[in-house]
Amino acid sequence: MLLKIVWKNIVSKKLTSILSVLLMMLGIGIISLVLTLGKQLEEKFSKNVAGIDMVVGAKGSPLQLILSGVYHIDAPTGNIPMSEVENLRKNSFVMEVIPLSMGDNYQGTRIIGTTQRYLKHFNAEIQQGITFENDLEVVIGYNVAKEQNLKIGDQFESTHGYDKEAEEHHEKKYTVKGILKYNNSVIDNLILCNLSSIWALHEHEEEHESESAHEKEITCALVKFRNPLGLITVPRQINQNTVMQAALPAIEINRLFKLMGIGIDALKYLALAIIIISGISVFITLYNALKERKYELALMLSMGGKRATLFLMLLLEGIFLSLTGWFLGIFMSKGGLLFASGMLNKAYHYSFEQNLIQKEEIYLLVAALLVGIFASIIPAIGIYKINITKTLAKD
């Protein structure tokens, strides 16, 4: 019965109730979306960079080298001689070097020449078929198989560069030998082959460009050190004495997140301000309702209604408005995440996971409830100040 009265009171003030719910929805939705995007981006970036102490590549922007070599979302800085990478492998501080060679794509998906060690680094497992062994054999990531509709035994021509509309290599075709299980890392969005496949496809181009271009080149290499001393000495040696550039993922990614953090914090403060405005809106709605319905409430009290029951009724109205705003806000956040995931996947072959309810969203539920309670408690206390005789006599 009480809930029925609460609902009728809310419906009787449609416009103000809708405004309060919309404001709460906007605030909760923005905070939830920002938290979810930030958390998933950080998890993905951390997972992909785990176990990589340094990336070496051509001289240029260190952040660009990290984004292209580790996350495959930017153009590489250039090529480096394979002989320089082999020299680095002999360094006593270096435990492991994984070479990567890029330069082609298939329908926008990057084709990466590497070694079997790259698969082991990500703990990648074969779902169907076998891994690449010979030239022009490839294994494809889980998302690639799904989106490009590629199967074991399929053959395709690669396209030069990272634009799917660029010139195709008609002379040789890749063959799909294996499909990887879902790995929740960058490897899900890549086509992998051995280094010599990439060299074989570009050999004739190098010959045309330079007669002396016989030395093998790669795009970059992922390096792991034996101990922390390597981090102190090796990057400086590389930057000063070689044609290569050394970039440290931990430093570059921290710098990137610091830059992104300014925008994320600004959005959080904006959303908090909207939630507070929503609370003020609920307060004004209930306060005005108390004044408008003073005679009606006094009449209910004179007929035996309890002040505690009417107090609870106003409190429930505030809580109901806040909870409705929270539900719609979370719905808005999930829709926003789906949209952002689609856009990111289209541009960079990255996507976000859709989770049900996260821990932070439970905290937002508590915050929404508190806003609803605080916004309605002052009007609700007004119930105890109603003088039944004077109010009924006046009206």
Side-chain angles (χ1 to χ4, degrees), residues 165-357:
E165 304 296 336
E167 182 190 354
E168 291 183 340
H169 293 291
H170 294 294
E171 64 279 12
K172 292 173 182 172
K173 289 184 179 180
Y174 284 104
T175 304
V176 180
K177 300 298 283 187
I179 298 172
L180 300 174
K181 284 183 184 174
Y182 180 68
N183 190 263
N184 193 26
S185 72
V186 68
I187 212 165
D188 292 329
N189 303 310
L190 297 175
I191 296 174
L192 302 170
C193 62
N194 60 17
L195 289 168
S196 54
S197 295
I198 303 289
W199 291 332
L201 276 172
H202 297 88
E203 223 162 29
H204 66 287
E205 292 171 13
E206 289 176 355
E207 284 168 3
H208 287 305
E209 285 170 8
S210 167
E211 290 182 3
S212 60
H214 296 300
E215 186 174 8
K216 299 299 181 190
E217 291 184 331
I218 60 168
T219 309
C220 63
L222 313 180
V223 180
K224 187 174 183 179
F225 294 118
R226 293 185 190 282
N227 57 55
L229 277 177
L231 271 173
I232 299 170
T233 56
V234 178
R236 193 176 65 250
Q237 288 173 2
I238 291 172
N239 288 331
Q240 289 179 351
N241 305 322
T242 71
V243 296
M244 300 188 296
Q245 169 194 205
L248 305 180
I251 292 175
E252 297 305 323
I253 296 306
N254 277 342
R255 190 183 301 168
L256 180 65
F257 272 97
K258 270 186 185 174
L259 290 172
M260 287 170 60
I262 297 170
I264 288 173
D265 286 344
L267 276 173
K268 281 182 190 170
Y269 292 135
L270 175 67
L272 279 173
I274 293 171
I275 289 177
I276 291 169
I277 293 170
S278 168
I280 294 170
S281 173
V282 172
F283 167 77
I284 293 170
T285 303
L286 295 179
Y287 189 76
N288 286 337
L290 181 70
K291 285 202 296 185
E292 289 166 8
R293 289 154 52 199
K294 211 170 182 179
Y295 178 77
E296 180 189 333
L297 293 169
L299 195 62
M300 289 169 77
L301 289 170
S302 69
M303 293 174 69
K306 293 181 180 175
R307 289 182 191 268
T309 308
L310 297 181
F311 175 87
L312 183 62
M313 183 182 74
L314 280 186
L315 211 59
L316 283 175
E317 283 186 36
I319 292 172
F320 181 84
L321 291 173
S322 296
L323 279 182
T324 307
W326 179 84
F327 274 112
L328 292 175
I330 296 298
F331 185 73
M332 171 187 154
S333 165
K334 302 297 177 195
L337 187 67
L338 194 66
F339 178 75
S341 183
M343 295 286 287
L344 202 64
N345 191 30
K346 193 175 177 184
Y348 301 109
H349 298 282
Y350 259 65
S351 59
F352 295 116
E353 291 177 8
Q354 287 286 347
N355 299 319
L356 286 175
I357 299 293

Side-chain angles (χ1 to χ4, degrees), residues 29-180:
I30 291 174
I31 290 185
S32 170
L33 184 60
V34 167
L35 287 174
T36 308
L37 285 176
K39 189 179 175 185
Q40 290 209 26
L41 266 179
E42 201 165 346
E43 281 175 359
K44 276 187 178 290
F45 271 59
S46 300
K47 180 168 184 179
N48 287 319
V49 86
I52 301 170
D53 296 323
M54 182 179 74
V55 180
V56 291
K59 298 221 183 260
S61 160
L63 180 58
Q64 186 183 349
L65 177 59
I66 299 295
L67 291 177
S68 62
V70 179
Y71 304 106
H72 303 282
I73 53 176
D74 201 350
T77 51
N79 286 336
I80 52 175
M82 188 65 186
S83 57
E84 293 276 3
V85 178
E86 291 301 335
N87 288 335
L88 177 63
R89 200 191 295 274
K90 294 170 190 168
N91 191 304
S92 57
F93 287 115
V94 173
M95 185 168 80
E96 184 176 60
V97 175
I98 304 175
L100 299 179
S101 193
M102 312 174 199
D104 288 339
N105 78 89
Y106 171 66
Q107 299 292 321
T109 301
R110 292 194 179 192
I111 300 172
I112 310 293
T114 185
T115 64
Q116 296 295 331
R117 187 57 215 164
Y118 192 62
L119 293 170
K120 287 179 186 169
H121 174 78
F122 285 101
N123 296 317
E125 296 178 46
I126 296 287
Q127 180 174 280
Q128 291 178 45
I130 56 173
T131 186
F132 57 84
E133 291 178 356
N134 304 310
D135 287 0
L136 300 176
E137 292 180 350
V138 298
V139 288
I140 58 177
Y142 179 86
N143 291 342
V144 179
K146 205 172 164 186
E147 289 164 14
Q148 306 287 4
N149 199 26
L150 287 171
K151 303 180 291 297
I152 304 292
D154 282 355
Q155 292 191 317
F156 62 87
E157 294 170 353
S158 62
T159 303
H160 191 63
Y162 304 108
D163 182 4
K164 61 183 177 183
E165 304 296 336
E167 182 190 354
E168 291 183 340
H169 293 291
H170 294 294
E171 64 279 12
K172 292 173 182 172
K173 289 184 179 180
Y174 284 104
T175 304
V176 180
K177 300 298 283 187
I179 298 172
L180 300 174

